[in-house]
Amino acid sequence: METIILTGMMGAGKTTAGRMLAQKLLCSFSDLDECIEKNEQKSVSEIFETLGESYFRNCEYETLKQIFKPENTIISLGGGAFENKKIQNMLLNKTNIIYLQTSPQSIIERIKNDQTRPLLKNNMTIEKISELINIREKNYKLATYTVITDNKNTDEIVSEIIKCVC
Ligand code: S3P
């Protein structure tokens, strides 16, 4: 099976869906942020604070290169990773990329009490989330398939992904 990549905004449910998808399809799963945290021995927030966003963006590329396999793997990206052209080139036309599309309202409901997203620290607003979606959506839309996640549970999202790729 061609590797499946999950992309989309923070709070779209990429990690949860990716884990369940891997269990159902009996393949391996990697969450890019978790792999970066393991490599760097720091949380994503600590990396942003101490080394800066551009350092983190480079970690996304370098770590993805390490973990990428063209087959039988599910990889959840962080919400900003697919902005990177080098990452797009690594994945486009070689993997099934799924954009988990989520409205700003659903995103804020899901992550409003979560302090682990440095880009929304002190600015957890619908306006900020909408602004990021507006900037990013042209890249997210390069995905092979789009699955809307609003008002769906993980089981439903995973079933839709399976229908797309199988
Ligand atoms: C980011 C999303 C986060 C994490 C980092 C930056 C982004 O991942 O990579 O905080 O730029 O949207 P999740 O999408 O898993 O929250």
Side-chain angles (χ1 to χ4, degrees):
M1 184 200 79
E2 206 169 71
T3 282
I4 299 172
I5 305 290
L6 300 182
T7 188
M9 278 289 287
M10 298 168 258
K14 303 178 293 287
T15 306
T16 316
R19 259 203 192 99
M20 187 187 280
L21 192 59
Q23 275 171 6
K24 294 212 171 175
L25 298 178
L26 302 176
C27 52
S28 63
F29 170 73
S30 298
D31 178 78
L32 183 59
D33 283 343
E34 286 176 8
C35 295
I36 294 170
E37 290 181 331
K38 205 163 148 211
N39 276 352
E40 296 291 315
Q41 292 290 298
K42 285 188 179 69
S43 69
V44 170
S45 295
E46 283 166 345
I47 300 172
F48 267 72
E49 261 167 47
T50 58
L51 300 159
E53 181 173 354
S54 56
Y55 181 89
F56 175 76
R57 297 301 174 197
N58 191 49
C59 289
E60 290 185 307
Y61 175 63
E62 293 299 332
T63 307
L64 186 60
K65 263 201 309 194
Q66 283 169 18
I67 64 173
F68 180 74
K69 282 187 273 160
E71 285 175 350
N72 298 325
T73 296
I74 317 285
I75 302 175
S76 295
L77 302 181
F82 205 61
E83 292 297 286
N84 183 334
K85 283 270 169 295
K86 289 195 288 186
I87 290 184
Q88 289 178 15
N89 290 337
M90 204 192 310
L91 303 177
L92 282 167
N93 305 317
K94 294 170 204 101
T95 59
N96 266 313
I97 305 170
I98 313 289
Y99 168 34
L100 296 184
Q101 184 176 22
T102 312
S103 67
Q105 289 76 9
S106 302
I107 291 175
I108 208 152
E109 271 313 304
R110 288 182 201 164
I111 64 173
K112 63 184 173 204
N113 296 321
D114 190 328
Q115 306 299 320
T116 63
R117 266 78 177 204
L119 288 184
L120 300 176
K121 204 177 160 198
N122 307 321
N123 200 1
M124 181 71 80
T125 60
I126 294 261
E127 290 73 26
K128 179 67 189 172
I129 292 168
S130 305
E131 182 192 315
L132 281 174
I133 293 175
N134 284 340
I135 295 169
R136 293 176 171 179
E137 196 142 56
K138 64 176 185 317
N139 287 321
Y140 289 149
K141 290 271 164 120
L142 297 173
T144 330
Y145 303 101
T146 295
V147 170
I148 295 173
T149 71
D150 295 302
N151 305 316
K152 290 178 192 153
N153 62 34
T154 309
D155 253 320
E156 292 167 321
I157 295 166
V158 166
S159 300
E160 281 198 36
I161 297 172
I162 291 174
K163 266 192 223 142
C164 292
V165 298
C166 296

